[in-house]
Amino acid sequence: MSKDYKSTIHLPQTDFPMRGNLPKREPAWLDEWAKVDRYAQIQQHTADRKRVFVLHDGPPYANGAIHIGHAVNKVLKDIVVKSHLLAGYRAPYVPGWDCHGLPIEIAVEKKHGKPGDKLNAAAFRQKCREYAAEQVDQQREGFKRLGVLGDWDKPYRSMDFRFEADMLRALARIYGNDHVVRGFKPVHWCFDCGSALAEAEIEYADKRSPAIDVAYDALDPKGFAALFGVESGDAIVAMPIWTTTPWTLPASLAVSVGPELDYVLIEGAARDGRRVLLAVAEALAESVATRYGVESVTILGRANGAQLENQLLAHPFYEREIPVILGDHVSAEDGTGAVHTAPGHGADDFSVSRRYGLVDRYPANVLNPVDARGVYLPGTPLFEGQHIWKANAGIVELLRERGKLLAFVEIEHSYPHCWRHKTPVAFRATPQWFISMDKEGLRDTALTAIKGVRWVPSWGQERIAGMVEGRPDWCISRQRTWGVPIALFVHKQTQEPHPDSIELLEQVAQRVEKDGIDMWDTLDPAELLGDEASEYEKVTDVLDVWFDSGVTHACVIDQRPELQAGDAEEYRVMYLEGSDQHRGWFQSSLLTSAAMHGRAPYDLVLTHGFTVDQNGRKMSKSQRNVVAPQKVSDSLGADILRLWVAAADYRNEMAVSDEIFKRVADSYRRIRNTCRFLLGNLAGFDPKHDLLPVTQCLPLDQWALQVAHDVQQAVTGAYERCDFPEIVQRVQNFCTNEMGALYLDMTKDRLYTMQADSLGRRSAQSAMYRILEALVRWLAPVLSFTAEEVWQHMPGERGESVLFETWYDSLAAEQGSAEQRRFWSDLLDIRETASRVLEGMRKAGDIGASLQAEITLYLDADLLDRYADMAKELRFFFITSDVKLAALDARGEGAVRVELDEGEAWVAAAPSTAAKCVRCWHHREDVGSHAEHPELCGRCVQNVDAGGEERRWF
């Protein structure tokens, strides 16, 4: 009758569950973290660290539930912060929100109407404040559900009175450094917003527009033709222009030509029976003639662009003289080589017209005859009261009636649109406040600062430098209600700011800090200006919301002691946002910091790509491909989403779908099972008493620790480089290959069958304990919930959280020399070949498990000598019932060669004919040789009834 040896087998035991059941367990962890204030605990534990890392939160807009893009951004930030905690930094994280601006105004208008309809401005702003607060609360819960730790109870909000006051202080600093100017300049204008837009608020999309060629007739045709050496007689001489914005022609004040371009006078199509001569760029003459239906180009004469300067043309439908002026922006790439110039509707037009005095010559309603709604102003001849987009057709028809339309076609082209309304915008010259890029060298300062920043990916440096290099002045004024006022007093006649504006801004800031921005509306200027009050008026514009977020370095980092360097030996600030922020928050922050302090506000900038579905399509409700982070957390768990964020290459577009999340969940299970196996085999292990020095551990355990050490070097280096996909790959490979397929399999026999406190078993447990100590730390920044769960189940005394710790420093590298690495590499190569041989036997039906086989290794003399001492234990490394060593000349025909860099080895295998031990399942010749235990092999008898077996190697 068989004996029951189960009580002598040490199978894994742990309360750590196999199934993660994350959707249920994670909320419990969140409740625990909230109860103990885990973020505050971490700050207390790390308060004395001398290295400080601040990830400054780019504020999301307080409008709407969080989406998958929000999740990517916040999880990446959380991974960075937590990895720096483990790297030994003090790493505070203060989340924030952008709370002013148009989207909130629009949301409030839908319910309460525009300011002045049902609510006065102050009441309207209060509704905006309430709406923003609701959105902040909603988004905060969504971010916390993702496992993101931060100072959620004390975030920064741009609508907080102190923040609004500090914005004015930042404006005062920039103003004091002479970067703020007021000017009448063309700016991007959204008719739906009713406001100017910043460069970052513009996106380009296709638009269908009329492309027309218009004749500007020379007022002195003979004199104009003479510049080309041509006698024109009674011919009409004209300079054609090409434009896709007919609506700008009422504001046309000049025609620009390229000073270095060559122009020709060619025969055009007759008009009303009269000969027509056209002046066009020589490089474009053929295409122009084709467009006008002229069969062949007849060049009558040539002139350089500079020769045409100050010639006078007639406006195509107004009684207005149009001078020819020289502009470097004119090219011969398309059109006619002559550009109709409306200074109120284009940046280049404005610049060149100002140089010729045209901006000062004409009143504002002529420079820009279009109001904030896109409607021509009262008094605009022919088009008063019409919207510009609708007026295009009428202007084309008018030109046709007057014989000035040379060509017309509808084209589709890239055109600037408002990023909020997705509607076309226009350039409008209006009085605005600007931060000048060149007046005090801000552009050069910013470009220099960019070079001192580490950009991840590295192409970010070139991208933002190119944008700063080419950007216009920053228009910081907006004509809205819900925003921080540009709290300046300007002289009623000169429109110049008060000479004491810096001091006055501080006085206003003190009042805003107490009463909020509404005080600006109710402030009596006499309170601050005294007898001068009657000479000044308050500016009614508000600051661009990009200014709000752009000065968070001053309003948050500079104001909160925990975010400052103090006596730190190392201090770094990182900004991390989507790649669109090179023209947004990264740039607005750079410009304000450069304007205030002459440097960048950050030391490191990381940018990530955007999410797409598995087919590379942009996420949208219409495509029905949106994946909500809430759904992922509720169905799979936030740790699955976090693992996907880390594994996806954030430097490019990040594909996401339900199928992708299922694959990530499979990867998670492999990692979790590795942790569970390690925990299970540490049952009964007390590191205080049982942990062996690494030098006393078996060589196989030392090898496992060496592998873990190597992985840790790679993982910590990758965290420093923010190479999160490499971390996931390294950890997954470690759990699946080195652990799951090798070490954990090889050590099962030792852990299960040897005596509980034997050297061999304690050696394996000591290695597994150290490996788990390291592994749980590698996982903590990414799998935050799971790492805390593992931490709570680990043996030994420890703190409440793994995030109180730093990288594990007891992975002693005792197998890292070149000779030792070669030893293990060769042995693993031999094992891999043996595994292929055994797999062939399994497929052939010769064996089931590998323990039913015996293998023979045919080795050269050096290898025979190397492995002779460990021959008796090699079977545990190969997980077979026996391993025999033999010389090469004893090799039979069935052996398989091992590919080694040096040396020669062959592997052969055969089914074992020995009896099976019921306890260890090895097939051994000595099974049945012990009367009291007839079903056990000799070593199991030793482990059950005697002093136990001895292991020296494996």
Side-chain angles (χ1 to χ4, degrees):
M1 183 176 177
S2 296
K3 288 187 177 181
D4 186 355
Y5 292 102
K6 287 183 180 178
S7 62
T8 70
I9 299 295
H10 310 293
L11 293 175
Q13 294 180 8
T14 179
D15 293 331
F16 184 79
M18 180 183 296
R19 289 177 56 83
N21 203 8
L22 299 177
K24 290 187 177 180
R25 286 201 179 93
E26 289 173 344
W29 279 109
L30 291 174
D31 290 342
E32 173 67 16
W33 295 348
K35 180 180 177 182
V36 301
D37 196 349
R38 180 53 47 82
Y39 174 78
Q41 286 182 326
I42 291 171
Q43 299 314 305
Q44 291 168 7
H45 274 80
T46 60
D48 295 331
R49 293 181 179 180
K50 294 302 181 184
R51 296 190 298 164
V52 179
F53 176 87
V54 175
L55 194 153
H56 180 43
D57 193 29
Y61 201 74
N63 187 32
I66 68 169
H67 51 68
I68 197 70
H70 284 121
V72 167
N73 180 263
K74 278 295 192 286
V75 169
L76 283 173
K77 290 175 179 176
D78 196 52
I79 291 172
V80 169
V81 170
K82 287 172 178 172
S83 66
H84 278 81
L85 284 171
L86 286 157
Y89 287 84
R90 181 169 68 80
Y93 174 63
V94 176
W97 276 271
D98 218 343
C99 301
H100 295 124
L102 187 64
I104 290 174
E105 281 199 48
I106 292 172
V108 172
E109 284 176 2
K110 288 178 181 177
K111 188 173 182 180
H112 300 285
K114 292 181 179 293
D117 291 349
K118 300 177 183 178
L119 302 173
N120 62 26
F124 183 86
R125 280 192 287 266
Q126 180 57 31
K127 292 299 181 184
C128 289
R129 195 177 296 278
E130 292 170 2
Y131 176 85
E134 292 171 2
Q135 301 302 304
V136 167
D137 289 343
Q138 175 185 339
Q139 291 186 4
R140 173 166 35 204
E141 292 309 307
F143 292 142
K144 289 164 71 173
R145 177 63 187 87
L146 297 173
V148 178
L149 287 178
D151 199 351
W152 295 111
D153 294 334
K154 293 184 290 182
Y156 76 85
R157 305 183 307 173
S158 63
M159 66 180 181
D160 291 336
F161 290 179
R162 173 63 186 272
F163 189 102
E164 292 172 336
D166 286 335
M167 279 181 61
L168 293 177
R169 295 182 175 108
L171 176 64
R173 181 77 175 266
I174 296 170
Y175 180 89
N177 289 339
D178 214 16
H179 295 294
V180 177
V181 296
R182 195 183 198 194
F184 182 82
K185 296 181 182 180
V187 293
H188 285 298
W189 189 276
C190 174
F191 300 123
D192 294 297
C193 295
S195 178
L197 300 183
E199 287 292 311
E201 296 171 304
I202 296 297
E203 62 184 19
Y204 283 82
D206 287 342
K207 178 182 181 294
R208 196 159 183 81
S209 300
I212 61 173
D213 289 72
V214 182
Y216 279 62
D217 293 353
L219 292 180
D220 178 9
K222 292 182 179 179
F224 194 91
L227 296 174
F228 292 83
V230 175
E231 290 281 349
S232 62
D234 65 349
I236 298 170
V237 179
M239 177 161 272
I241 63 92
W242 176 85
T243 183
T244 58
T245 55
W247 65 267
T248 61
L249 289 173
S252 182
L253 301 182
V255 168
S256 298
V257 298
E260 304 298 325
L261 296 182
D262 293 322
Y263 290 81
V264 293
L265 201 62
I266 64 172
E267 290 279 356
R271 186 199 304 168
D272 298 330
R274 292 180 64 187
R275 184 184 180 206
V276 174
L277 307 183
L278 301 175
V280 299
E282 185 170 8
L284 295 167
E286 291 285 351
S287 62
V288 166
T290 301
R291 215 160 52 239
Y292 300 168
V294 177
E295 293 184 2
S296 61
V297 176
T298 302
I299 296 177
L300 306 175
R302 290 178 170 80
N304 181 265
Q307 295 176 255
L308 306 179
E309 185 179 22
N310 295 324
Q311 290 298 302
L312 295 179
L313 309 174
H315 190 281
F317 49 75
Y318 285 162
E319 294 295 324
R320 182 185 298 161
E321 291 184 352
I322 302 294
V324 176
I325 60 180
L326 306 182
D328 293 332
H329 65 290
V330 182
S331 74
E333 292 181 7
D334 50 28
T336 66
V339 177
H340 121 72
T341 301
H345 298 306
D348 289 330
D349 295 29
F350 185 87
S351 177
V352 69
S353 297
R354 185 168 59 180
R355 196 166 71 243
Y356 280 87
L358 297 174
V359 173
D360 297 330
R361 186 186 309 170
Y362 288 95
N365 65 328
V366 175
L367 288 167
N368 170 31
V370 179
D371 72 11
R373 301 166 300 158
V375 174
Y376 287 110
L377 295 170
T380 304
L382 304 174
F383 305 107
E384 174 183 337
Q386 294 185 39
H387 196 281
I388 61 170
W389 305 134
K390 294 181 179 178
N392 272 335
I395 291 173
V396 170
E397 189 55 37
L398 178 63
L399 292 168
R400 183 179 282 113
E401 290 173 1
R402 299 200 175 191
K404 303 297 178 68
L405 185 67
L406 301 175
F408 166 80
V409 67
E410 291 275 347
I411 66 167
E412 193 164 284
H413 62 135
S414 181
Y415 190 86
H417 286 64
C418 171
W419 74 325
R420 296 186 184 93
H421 293 98
K422 312 302 179 186
T423 51
V425 301
F427 266 110
R428 288 184 69 236
T430 57
Q432 300 289 345
W433 294 91
F434 298 86
I435 290 180
S436 172
M437 292 300 297
D438 300 304
K439 183 171 182 286
E440 294 297 325
L442 179 58
R443 191 187 313 276
D444 291 339
T445 302
L447 289 171
T448 299
I450 287 169
K451 297 174 184 176
V453 175
R454 177 185 162 205
W455 300 89
V456 179
S458 59
W459 50 256
Q461 177 174 339
E462 184 177 348
R463 186 176 190 198
I464 193 171
M467 291 177 172
V468 170
E469 199 168 75
R471 71 158 295 147
D473 291 346
W474 177 7
C475 178
I476 59 170
S477 50
R478 295 292 181 274
Q479 295 67 49
R480 304 300 304 180
T481 303
W482 178 229
V484 175
I486 298 178
L488 293 171
F489 296 95
V490 295
H491 197 276
K492 291 179 179 178
Q493 291 183 350
T494 67
Q495 291 296 295
E496 289 295 318
H498 193 281
D500 297 329
S501 287
I502 298 173
E503 293 79 4
L504 290 168
L505 278 167
E506 174 55 34
Q507 293 182 52
V508 174
Q510 291 174 12
R511 286 167 166 77
V512 168
E513 190 168 338
K514 179 175 180 290
D515 300 318
I517 55 178
D518 288 334
M519 61 75 50
W520 183 245
D521 279 359
T522 58
L523 176 69
D524 182 353
E527 291 183 35
L528 300 182
L529 301 183
D531 295 340
E532 294 180 299
S534 61
E535 301 175 28
Y536 286 86
E537 59 189 5
K538 292 185 288 186
V539 172
T540 58
D541 295 340
V542 300
L543 285 162
D544 173 19
V545 290
W546 287 106
F547 189 91
D548 291 38
S549 58
V551 294
T552 54
H553 58 85
C555 301
V556 181
I557 296 179
D558 290 352
Q559 303 306 318
R560 296 183 71 145
E562 74 270 26
L563 300 181
Q564 295 165 20
D567 60 354
E569 296 169 1
E570 180 185 335
Y571 177 75
R572 290 192 292 167
V573 175
M574 180 183 191
Y575 280 32
L576 186 163
E577 299 298 332
S579 56
D580 59 338
Q581 296 307 313
H582 289 108
R583 68 184 184 124
W585 188 56
F586 298 153
Q587 192 174 150
S588 64
S589 300
L590 171 69
L591 296 181
T592 57
S593 181
M596 293 174 71
H597 309 297
R599 55 173 169 77
Y602 35 67
D603 304 289
L604 170 63
V605 173
L606 182 146
T607 55
H608 60 81
F610 298 100
T611 54
V612 295
D613 66 16
Q614 68 269 35
N615 299 313
R617 297 176 302 178
K618 184 179 178 181
M619 294 279 175
S620 69
K621 291 181 180 178
S622 62
Q623 295 279 358
R624 297 185 178 180
N625 62 354
V626 173
V627 177
Q630 299 88 337
K631 178 184 174 184
V632 179
S633 296
D634 291 344
S635 60
L636 297 173
D639 265 0
I640 303 301
L641 190 148
R642 294 175 66 94
L643 184 58
W644 165 73
V645 172
D649 189 349
Y650 66 81
R651 291 159 289 202
N652 301 299
E653 290 181 333
M654 303 170 70
V656 58
S657 68
D658 291 339
E659 182 59 36
I660 290 171
F661 277 122
K662 288 177 183 176
R663 292 201 295 269
V664 173
D666 288 339
S667 299
Y668 169 83
R669 277 189 284 274
R670 287 194 290 272
I671 295 171
R672 184 179 183 89
N673 287 340
T674 300
C675 294
R676 186 171 187 272
F677 186 89
L678 293 170
L679 286 169
N681 283 292
L682 290 173
F685 179 80
D686 182 356
K688 188 174 182 179
H689 302 105
D690 302 328
L691 185 66
L692 299 179
V694 175
T695 53
Q696 293 180 21
C697 291
L698 272 58
L700 179 62
D701 301 321
Q702 292 185 18
W703 167 81
L705 289 170
Q706 180 68 56
V707 172
H709 175 272
D710 294 345
V711 173
Q712 176 154 289
Q713 294 297 106
V715 165
T716 56
Y719 271 123
E720 171 61 24
R721 299 191 307 276
C722 299
D723 191 349
F724 308 128
E726 180 181 345
I727 293 162
V728 174
Q729 185 178 21
R730 289 274 188 167
V731 172
Q732 284 181 334
N733 287 344
F734 178 74
C735 291
T736 303
N737 300 330
E738 288 94 343
M739 292 291 103
L742 295 173
Y743 180 67
L744 301 184
D745 226 11
M746 294 175 188
T747 53
K748 283 178 182 177
D749 181 273
R750 197 170 4 134
L751 289 162
Y752 298 176
T753 69
M754 292 184 71
Q755 293 181 347
D757 59 354
S758 63
L759 174 64
R761 191 165 184 274
R762 291 305 190 205
S763 173
Q765 287 182 313
S766 295
M768 289 183 175
Y769 173 79
R770 290 186 170 96
I771 289 169
L772 188 57
E773 285 279 13
L775 176 59
V776 71
R777 288 164 167 83
W778 306 341
L779 298 176
V782 178
L783 301 179
S784 295
F785 294 102
T786 302
E788 291 284 46
E789 186 182 4
V790 171
W791 187 257
Q792 299 303 319
H793 285 83
M794 290 175 64
E797 296 180 2
R798 59 191 60 250
E800 283 186 39
S801 171
V802 64
L803 293 176
F804 297 169
E805 310 299 320
T806 56
W807 300 125
Y808 189 60
D809 61 2
S810 294
L811 291 173
E814 296 292 338
Q815 294 288 323
S817 70
E819 183 179 355
Q820 289 168 321
R821 289 182 185 276
R822 181 186 165 194
F823 170 89
W824 291 108
S825 176
D826 287 349
L827 199 55
L828 288 168
D829 286 342
I830 295 170
R831 187 181 190 275
E832 183 180 352
T833 302
S835 297
R836 291 201 304 271
V837 171
L838 295 174
E839 182 61 28
M841 294 174 67
R842 260 192 293 267
K843 288 181 178 179
D846 297 331
I847 62 170
S850 62
L851 285 175
Q852 293 176 327
E854 300 174 352
I855 65 174
T856 302
L857 305 181
Y858 300 97
L859 308 172
D860 64 26
D862 288 341
L863 292 176
L864 269 175
D865 183 60
R866 182 195 295 178
Y867 300 135
D869 193 37
M870 63 191 74
K872 291 182 179 180
E873 294 186 24
L874 280 172
R875 63 187 173 112
F876 302 113
F877 185 85
F878 286 86
I879 315 181
T880 56
S881 285
D882 198 12
V883 173
K884 296 183 177 67
L885 303 184
L888 286 175
D889 55 11
R891 170 172 55 89
E893 289 190 10
V896 177
R897 180 162 187 163
V898 181
E899 296 296 330
L900 297 175
D901 291 336
E902 295 181 25
E904 185 175 353
W906 296 71
V907 176
S912 175
T913 58
K916 177 182 177 181
C917 173
V918 298
R919 184 171 178 273
C920 70
W921 296 4
H922 281 243
H923 292 254
R924 302 294 294 172
E925 295 294 340
D926 59 356
V927 172
S929 62
H930 304 274
E932 292 186 23
H933 303 285
E935 296 178 291
L936 299 189
C937 64
R939 74 181 183 96
C940 279
V941 173
Q942 285 285 317
N943 286 324
V944 170
D945 263 357
E949 69 173 303
E950 179 185 353
R951 296 276 186 98
R952 292 178 51 215
W953 293 90
F954 309 111

